[in-house]
Amino acid sequence: DQNLAAYAAARQLSKREAEVLRLVLLGKDNQNIAAELSLAPGTVKVHVHNILKKSQKANRQELIQDYWDY
């Protein structure tokens, strides 16, 4: 969780984006993330899009690799 906080701060992620990122790192898809956080799947999609944009990654695989490299 400490690494996640540092990564999120470095990428200027919002608190909610950091929560979504944690679940992405656990391999959850948008539907499962939406259910776990009580959000609409479309909202999760927007958060994931914003996370990818802020981290300058093209997809979840690149994002996860960037996180572990960090």
Side-chain angles (χ1 to χ4, degrees):
D1 278 348
Q2 215 171 7
N3 289 345
L4 181 62
Y7 183 88
R11 302 296 185 273
Q12 297 181 326
L13 302 183
S14 70
K15 188 174 187 289
R16 184 59 102 180
E17 288 167 348
E19 291 174 1
V20 171
L21 174 59
R22 182 177 64 81
L23 297 173
V24 167
L25 293 170
L26 293 173
K28 299 197 182 239
D29 63 14
N30 287 0
Q31 196 68 42
N32 287 323
I33 293 170
E36 190 159 328
L37 297 179
S38 300
L39 297 171
T43 303
V44 173
K45 189 175 177 182
V46 169
H47 285 312
V48 171
H49 173 80
N50 290 340
I51 293 166
L52 291 172
K53 197 170 171 187
K54 288 179 180 182
S55 63
Q56 299 179 338
K57 299 301 161 203
N59 56 50
R60 286 174 187 242
Q61 285 306 110
E62 285 185 18
L63 176 64
I64 291 167
Q65 189 62 53
D66 184 56
Y67 176 81
W68 290 114
D69 290 346
Y70 184 81

